[in-house]
Amino acid sequence: MPEGSGKIQVRCTVNNKAVTFEAYPMARLLDALREELRLTGTKEGCGEGECGACTVEMDGALVNSCLVPAAQVEATKILTIEGVASGERLHAVQQAFITNGGAQCGICTPGMILAAVNLLRRFPEPTEVQIREGLSGNLCRCTGYTKIFESVVAACGESERDA
Ligand code: FES
Ligand code: FES
C-alpha cells in the first residue's frame, strides 16, 4: 500500500481464521468482507442500518456490517454466513431454512440465519416472543415471515449440537 494513501491495515479473525486487509478507516466492514476477503455471502440491502441483510457477528454480537467502519474491526472476531456450517455439515438453522422454505430470493437469508444462530445460542428453547424479537432487526420482502419463523422453531433444540 503506498504511503500516504490513508489506508490502514486491519487484523482480525474472520470465521476462525486470522486475516489482514487494507481499507480506509471509514470503509464499511460489509465492503471489506465482500471485496477484500471475497466473502460475498453477506448481502447489502438498504446500506443504512435498517434491513439487517448485512448482519454479521462481531465478538459474538450482531452488527449491521454496513454501519461498522473498518477501523473498529481491529482485533475483533467476525462470524459471517460462510462460517456458520461445520465443514460440509450445515448448521441446524441452515438446514431448517431449506426444509421449511425459509428462503425465497435469499437476500435477507444470510442475515436472518445469523440472527437466528445468535438467538438460539442465547436461548436454545426460545419463546415465540423471543424469536420475534431476535429476528426483529431483519427485514424480508418475500416470505411474509411465517416460513422464516417456522424454520427457527424447527431448529430449536437441534441447534445445541452446533453451539
Ligand atoms: S444493508 Fe446493512 S442494514 Fe441494510
Ligand atoms: S427471501 Fe427475499 S428478502 Fe427475504
Side-chain angles (χ1 to χ4, degrees):
M1 188 54 44
E3 231 175 272
S5 71
K7 289 192 173 181
I8 56 171
Q9 278 215 333
V10 179
R11 289 169 208 79
C12 61
T13 303
V14 178
N15 300 334
N16 288 321
K17 193 172 143 202
V19 299
T20 303
F21 63 87
E22 286 166 338
Y24 290 105
M26 293 307 289
R28 307 181 305 173
L29 172 59
L30 171 63
D31 297 324
L33 290 171
R34 290 180 56 86
E35 291 165 22
E36 300 297 323
L37 301 175
R38 303 288 176 201
L39 294 172
T40 55
T42 304
K43 304 302 183 200
E44 176 161 16
C46 65
E48 298 178 345
E50 298 292 336
C51 74
C54 64
T55 299
V56 299
E57 274 191 2
M58 187 168 161
D59 289 336
L62 297 173
V63 296
N64 291 324
S65 62
C66 70
L67 295 184
V68 177
Q72 274 184 18
V73 180
E74 176 70 23
T76 63
K77 288 189 177 153
I78 306 292
L79 175 68
T80 73
I81 190 65
E82 288 89 348
V84 168
S86 302
E88 295 294 303
R89 186 167 61 88
L90 293 180
H91 189 284
V93 172
Q94 293 174 302
Q95 188 57 56
F97 268 65
I98 293 171
T99 306
N100 294 276
Q104 285 186 25
C105 81
I107 291 292
C108 73
T109 309
M112 284 285 184
I113 287 176
L114 276 163
V117 167
N118 183 278
L119 171 76
L120 295 183
R121 195 186 303 127
R122 291 178 290 125
F123 304 105
E125 298 290 345
T127 64
E128 185 176 326
V129 170
Q130 285 171 326
I131 295 175
R132 294 198 190 286
E133 282 177 2
L135 302 181
S136 62
N138 297 75
L139 305 184
C140 176
R141 298 159 71 107
C142 306
T143 64
Y145 299 99
T146 302
K147 289 186 179 300
I148 290 173
F149 183 84
E150 289 171 356
S151 301
V152 178
V153 170
C156 292
E158 292 290 311
S159 68
E160 284 172 40
R161 67 185 171 89
D162 294 312

PDB file of all heavy atoms in Angstrom, residues 28 30 43-55 64-67 137, ligand 1:
ATOM      1  N   ARG A  28     -16.557   0.466   4.915  1.00  0.00           N
ATOM      2  CA  ARG A  28     -17.538  -0.371   5.616  1.00  0.00           C
ATOM      3  C   ARG A  28     -17.038  -1.816   5.734  1.00  0.00           C
ATOM      4  O   ARG A  28     -16.490  -2.372   4.776  1.00  0.00           O
ATOM      5  CB  ARG A  28     -18.871  -0.365   4.866  1.00  0.00           C
ATOM      6  CG  ARG A  28     -19.399   1.028   4.581  1.00  0.00           C
ATOM      7  CD  ARG A  28     -20.733   0.992   3.860  1.00  0.00           C
ATOM      8  NE  ARG A  28     -20.721   0.206   2.636  1.00  0.00           N
ATOM      9  CZ  ARG A  28     -21.799  -0.083   1.920  1.00  0.00           C
ATOM     10  NH1 ARG A  28     -22.981   0.371   2.323  1.00  0.00           N
ATOM     11  NH2 ARG A  28     -21.723  -0.789   0.829  1.00  0.00           N
ATOM     12  N   LEU A  30     -18.831  -4.295   5.602  1.00  0.00           N
ATOM     13  CA  LEU A  30     -19.546  -5.001   4.521  1.00  0.00           C
ATOM     14  C   LEU A  30     -18.690  -5.079   3.255  1.00  0.00           C
ATOM     15  O   LEU A  30     -18.560  -6.141   2.642  1.00  0.00           O
ATOM     16  CB  LEU A  30     -20.866  -4.262   4.227  1.00  0.00           C
ATOM     17  CG  LEU A  30     -21.656  -4.706   3.009  1.00  0.00           C
ATOM     18  CD1 LEU A  30     -22.123  -6.136   3.151  1.00  0.00           C
ATOM     19  CD2 LEU A  30     -22.862  -3.778   2.803  1.00  0.00           C
ATOM     20  N   LYS A  43     -24.876  -9.857   2.452  1.00  0.00           N
ATOM     21  CA  LYS A  43     -25.572  -9.094   1.408  1.00  0.00           C
ATOM     22  C   LYS A  43     -25.784  -7.637   1.818  1.00  0.00           C
ATOM     23  O   LYS A  43     -25.868  -7.318   3.002  1.00  0.00           O
ATOM     24  CB  LYS A  43     -26.938  -9.710   1.108  1.00  0.00           C
ATOM     25  CG  LYS A  43     -26.889 -11.179   0.709  1.00  0.00           C
ATOM     26  CD  LYS A  43     -26.011 -11.405  -0.502  1.00  0.00           C
ATOM     27  CE  LYS A  43     -26.015 -12.856  -0.933  1.00  0.00           C
ATOM     28  NZ  LYS A  43     -24.858 -13.192  -1.767  1.00  0.00           N
ATOM     29  N   GLU A  44     -25.931  -6.799   0.803  1.00  0.00           N
ATOM     30  CA  GLU A  44     -26.315  -5.403   1.050  1.00  0.00           C
ATOM     31  C   GLU A  44     -27.765  -5.206   0.639  1.00  0.00           C
ATOM     32  O   GLU A  44     -28.163  -5.571  -0.471  1.00  0.00           O
ATOM     33  CB  GLU A  44     -25.442  -4.431   0.259  1.00  0.00           C
ATOM     34  CG  GLU A  44     -25.917  -2.992   0.449  1.00  0.00           C
ATOM     35  CD  GLU A  44     -24.872  -1.954   0.094  1.00  0.00           C
ATOM     36  OE1 GLU A  44     -23.895  -2.291  -0.582  1.00  0.00           O
ATOM     37  OE2 GLU A  44     -25.057  -0.784   0.513  1.00  0.00           O
ATOM     38  N   GLY A  45     -28.548  -4.660   1.542  1.00  0.00           N
ATOM     39  CA  GLY A  45     -29.920  -4.284   1.221  1.00  0.00           C
ATOM     40  C   GLY A  45     -30.000  -2.773   1.163  1.00  0.00           C
ATOM     41  O   GLY A  45     -29.741  -2.152   0.136  1.00  0.00           O
ATOM     42  N   CYS A  46     -30.312  -2.184   2.310  1.00  0.00           N
ATOM     43  CA  CYS A  46     -30.538  -0.737   2.363  1.00  0.00           C
ATOM     44  C   CYS A  46     -29.252   0.081   2.413  1.00  0.00           C
ATOM     45  O   CYS A  46     -29.223   1.230   1.983  1.00  0.00           O
ATOM     46  CB  CYS A  46     -31.386  -0.404   3.584  1.00  0.00           C
ATOM     47  SG  CYS A  46     -30.545  -0.778   5.144  1.00  0.00           S
ATOM     48  N   GLY A  47     -28.210  -0.483   3.002  1.00  0.00           N
ATOM     49  CA  GLY A  47     -26.967   0.278   3.191  1.00  0.00           C
ATOM     50  C   GLY A  47     -27.080   1.347   4.253  1.00  0.00           C
ATOM     51  O   GLY A  47     -26.190   2.201   4.377  1.00  0.00           O
ATOM     52  N   GLU A  48     -28.143   1.309   5.037  1.00  0.00           N
ATOM     53  CA  GLU A  48     -28.378   2.378   6.028  1.00  0.00           C
ATOM     54  C   GLU A  48     -28.680   1.856   7.424  1.00  0.00           C
ATOM     55  O   GLU A  48     -29.216   2.573   8.260  1.00  0.00           O
ATOM     56  CB  GLU A  48     -29.582   3.229   5.584  1.00  0.00           C
ATOM     57  CG  GLU A  48     -29.376   3.935   4.277  1.00  0.00           C
ATOM     58  CD  GLU A  48     -30.601   4.722   3.844  1.00  0.00           C
ATOM     59  OE1 GLU A  48     -31.697   4.489   4.407  1.00  0.00           O
ATOM     60  OE2 GLU A  48     -30.449   5.565   2.948  1.00  0.00           O
ATOM     61  N   GLY A  49     -28.428   0.578   7.662  1.00  0.00           N
ATOM     62  CA  GLY A  49     -28.657   0.048   9.008  1.00  0.00           C
ATOM     63  C   GLY A  49     -30.099  -0.285   9.321  1.00  0.00           C
ATOM     64  O   GLY A  49     -30.464  -0.444  10.489  1.00  0.00           O
ATOM     65  N   GLU A  50     -30.943  -0.410   8.287  1.00  0.00           N
ATOM     66  CA  GLU A  50     -32.371  -0.621   8.542  1.00  0.00           C
ATOM     67  C   GLU A  50     -32.850  -2.047   8.269  1.00  0.00           C
ATOM     68  O   GLU A  50     -33.834  -2.488   8.845  1.00  0.00           O
ATOM     69  CB  GLU A  50     -33.204   0.325   7.658  1.00  0.00           C
ATOM     70  CG  GLU A  50     -32.976   1.804   7.917  1.00  0.00           C
ATOM     71  CD  GLU A  50     -33.486   2.233   9.282  1.00  0.00           C
ATOM     72  OE1 GLU A  50     -34.379   1.567   9.823  1.00  0.00           O
ATOM     73  OE2 GLU A  50     -32.959   3.238   9.794  1.00  0.00           O
ATOM     74  N   CYS A  51     -32.172  -2.778   7.370  1.00  0.00           N
ATOM     75  CA  CYS A  51     -32.787  -4.027   6.878  1.00  0.00           C
ATOM     76  C   CYS A  51     -32.177  -5.306   7.441  1.00  0.00           C
ATOM     77  O   CYS A  51     -32.792  -6.362   7.396  1.00  0.00           O
ATOM     78  CB  CYS A  51     -32.728  -4.072   5.354  1.00  0.00           C
ATOM     79  SG  CYS A  51     -31.068  -4.420   4.697  1.00  0.00           S
ATOM     80  N   GLY A  52     -30.948  -5.254   7.922  1.00  0.00           N
ATOM     81  CA  GLY A  52     -30.309  -6.435   8.501  1.00  0.00           C
ATOM     82  C   GLY A  52     -29.737  -7.417   7.492  1.00  0.00           C
ATOM     83  O   GLY A  52     -29.188  -8.452   7.874  1.00  0.00           O
ATOM     84  N   ALA A  53     -29.817  -7.115   6.198  1.00  0.00           N
ATOM     85  CA  ALA A  53     -29.282  -8.055   5.200  1.00  0.00           C
ATOM     86  C   ALA A  53     -27.779  -8.266   5.374  1.00  0.00           C
ATOM     87  O   ALA A  53     -27.246  -9.310   5.031  1.00  0.00           O
ATOM     88  CB  ALA A  53     -29.573  -7.541   3.790  1.00  0.00           C
ATOM     89  N   CYS A  54     -27.105  -7.257   5.910  1.00  0.00           N
ATOM     90  CA  CYS A  54     -25.641  -7.288   6.028  1.00  0.00           C
ATOM     91  C   CYS A  54     -25.182  -7.782   7.398  1.00  0.00           C
ATOM     92  O   CYS A  54     -24.016  -7.617   7.748  1.00  0.00           O
ATOM     93  CB  CYS A  54     -25.103  -5.883   5.798  1.00  0.00           C
ATOM     94  SG  CYS A  54     -25.681  -4.737   7.085  1.00  0.00           S
ATOM     95  N   THR A  55     -26.090  -8.401   8.153  1.00  0.00           N
ATOM     96  CA  THR A  55     -25.783  -8.810   9.528  1.00  0.00           C
ATOM     97  C   THR A  55     -24.623  -9.801   9.591  1.00  0.00           C
ATOM     98  O   THR A  55     -24.593 -10.790   8.859  1.00  0.00           O
ATOM     99  CB  THR A  55     -27.026  -9.471  10.169  1.00  0.00           C
ATOM    100  OG1 THR A  55     -28.091  -8.524  10.193  1.00  0.00           O
ATOM    101  CG2 THR A  55     -26.731  -9.947  11.584  1.00  0.00           C
ATOM    102  N   ASN A  64     -24.778  -4.608  12.058  1.00  0.00           N
ATOM    103  CA  ASN A  64     -25.030  -4.335  10.648  1.00  0.00           C
ATOM    104  C   ASN A  64     -23.688  -3.936  10.033  1.00  0.00           C
ATOM    105  O   ASN A  64     -23.175  -2.844  10.319  1.00  0.00           O
ATOM    106  CB  ASN A  64     -26.050  -3.203  10.489  1.00  0.00           C
ATOM    107  CG  ASN A  64     -27.439  -3.611  10.923  1.00  0.00           C
ATOM    108  OD1 ASN A  64     -27.845  -4.752  10.722  1.00  0.00           O
ATOM    109  ND2 ASN A  64     -28.163  -2.687  11.534  1.00  0.00           N
ATOM    110  N   SER A  65     -23.146  -4.800   9.201  1.00  0.00           N
ATOM    111  CA  SER A  65     -21.793  -4.533   8.708  1.00  0.00           C
ATOM    112  C   SER A  65     -21.733  -3.311   7.799  1.00  0.00           C
ATOM    113  O   SER A  65     -20.648  -2.787   7.543  1.00  0.00           O
ATOM    114  CB  SER A  65     -21.210  -5.768   8.009  1.00  0.00           C
ATOM    115  OG  SER A  65     -21.976  -6.122   6.874  1.00  0.00           O
ATOM    116  N   CYS A  66     -22.876  -2.832   7.316  1.00  0.00           N
ATOM    117  CA  CYS A  66     -22.870  -1.606   6.517  1.00  0.00           C
ATOM    118  C   CYS A  66     -22.633  -0.373   7.376  1.00  0.00           C
ATOM    119  O   CYS A  66     -22.374   0.706   6.843  1.00  0.00           O
ATOM    120  CB  CYS A  66     -24.172  -1.452   5.721  1.00  0.00           C
ATOM    121  SG  CYS A  66     -25.631  -1.076   6.718  1.00  0.00           S
ATOM    122  N   LEU A  67     -22.722  -0.528   8.690  1.00  0.00           N
ATOM    123  CA  LEU A  67     -22.524   0.619   9.592  1.00  0.00           C
ATOM    124  C   LEU A  67     -21.213   0.540  10.369  1.00  0.00           C
ATOM    125  O   LEU A  67     -20.911   1.448  11.133  1.00  0.00           O
ATOM    126  CB  LEU A  67     -23.680   0.706  10.604  1.00  0.00           C
ATOM    127  CG  LEU A  67     -25.071   0.989  10.062  1.00  0.00           C
ATOM    128  CD1 LEU A  67     -26.060   1.133  11.218  1.00  0.00           C
ATOM    129  CD2 LEU A  67     -25.084   2.240   9.188  1.00  0.00           C
ATOM    130  N   GLY A 137     -34.635  -7.227  13.794  1.00  0.00           N
ATOM    131  CA  GLY A 137     -33.751  -6.319  13.054  1.00  0.00           C
ATOM    132  C   GLY A 137     -33.548  -6.718  11.608  1.00  0.00           C
ATOM    133  O   GLY A 137     -32.777  -6.080  10.893  1.00  0.00           O
TER     134      GLY A 137
HETATM  135  S1  FES B   1     -27.602  -3.227   4.253  1.00  0.00           S
HETATM  136 FE1  FES B   1     -26.951  -3.030   6.284  1.00  0.00          FE
HETATM  137  S2  FES B   1     -28.784  -2.851   7.433  1.00  0.00           S
HETATM  138 FE2  FES B   1     -29.467  -2.870   5.347  1.00  0.00          FE
END
